[in-house]
Amino acid sequence: MAWLGVAALLGSYAYLASNPRALHQWLAPYSPSTRNSWWLQTPADVEVLIGKAQAGDQEMVAPTVHANIRELIARLQAKGVRVLISGNVTDGAAGVWDPGVAEVRIKPSAVALGSNILVEILAHESAHVAQSCRAGGLGRNSEPMGIQVFPAERLKDQLNSPLYRGHVPTKVIELEAFTVGTNPPWAIKLLDHYCKG
């Protein structure tokens, strides 16, 4: 009987060694990005997040905004993406999609800007997740989806920020994400279309 335990352990190690994505997901809760972060795991976490965003609302917010926040987080989680509120975000950005660990991280200071900003950030980062799925899966870098976008002139301030300056392929990816960010229900549809998990 003891050999069953050893065989199961060896089988687990063999699976993890042959599937680096599974190993990465297994170790993700212990990654540096998780330190000092709030991992949204339950509906209660999402409701507390919405409460924090509401504290920053300067005007009345349509009920659909909070419904879209709930739905975007639920869809991301269902696709295998961890959603964190974390200071571990690129300087100058409000959020980041990290395909290496399948995480969307949003700065706490961005949450404090209110519900409308939060849902826009979630939709923007969800577009990047869909771009990765289009490129072959959550662990892949973003690739353009070929969707209709706003004229680049409309988003020139964002696209010319130090984050994206001079790198045309990145600007294409970001133009799609900024466009989707203005339409959260579209982000949900893109996630469902490109991320089959």
Side-chain angles (χ1 to χ4, degrees), residues 149-157 159 175:
V149 295
F150 292 137
E153 180 65 24
R154 180 172 170 184
L155 295 164
K156 70 178 180 181
D157 291 340
L159 295 173
L175 182 56

Side-chain angles (χ1 to χ4, degrees), residues 105-155:
R105 295 188 297 272
I106 299 172
K107 280 186 180 173
S109 58
V111 174
L113 294 174
S115 303
N116 287 320
I117 300 296
L118 177 58
V119 76
E120 188 174 322
I121 294 165
L122 280 166
H124 177 107
E125 299 308 331
S126 294
H128 287 314
V129 174
Q131 290 168 332
S132 287
C133 289
R134 183 186 187 286
L138 291 179
R140 304 296 294 268
N141 287 328
S142 296
E143 177 180 291
M145 296 176 282
I147 60 175
Q148 291 293 314
V149 295
F150 292 137
E153 180 65 24
R154 180 172 170 184
L155 295 164

Side-chain angles (χ1 to χ4, degrees), residues 15-163:
Y15 171 75
L16 291 173
S18 67
N19 188 346
R21 181 84 184 129
L23 179 62
H24 212 68
Q25 284 291 96
W26 185 54
L27 293 175
Y30 310 103
S31 71
S33 63
T34 304
R35 291 189 197 112
N36 301 317
S37 297
W38 173 24
W39 180 9
L40 304 177
Q41 298 182 72
T42 68
D45 286 322
V46 176
E47 293 308 315
V48 170
L49 174 69
I50 289 170
K52 288 182 177 291
Q54 286 174 316
D57 290 341
Q58 301 296 314
E59 56 194 37
M60 287 294 294
V61 174
T64 57
V65 169
H66 298 128
N68 284 327
I69 290 170
R70 290 179 190 98
E71 190 61 31
L72 281 164
I73 292 171
R75 290 290 169 85
L76 287 166
Q77 291 169 333
K79 305 296 181 189
V81 175
R82 292 170 5 111
V83 182
L84 301 168
I85 306 305
S86 173
N88 187 12
V89 175
T90 307
D91 286 340
V96 66
W97 158 238
D98 185 344
V101 289
E103 288 177 349
V104 167
R105 295 188 297 272
I106 299 172
K107 280 186 180 173
S109 58
V111 174
L113 294 174
S115 303
N116 287 320
I117 300 296
L118 177 58
V119 76
E120 188 174 322
I121 294 165
L122 280 166
H124 177 107
E125 299 308 331
S126 294
H128 287 314
V129 174
Q131 290 168 332
S132 287
C133 289
R134 183 186 187 286
L138 291 179
R140 304 296 294 268
N141 287 328
S142 296
E143 177 180 291
M145 296 176 282
I147 60 175
Q148 291 293 314
V149 295
F150 292 137
E153 180 65 24
R154 180 172 170 184
L155 295 164
K156 70 178 180 181
D157 291 340
Q158 291 96 322
L159 295 173
N160 290 330
S161 80
L163 290 172

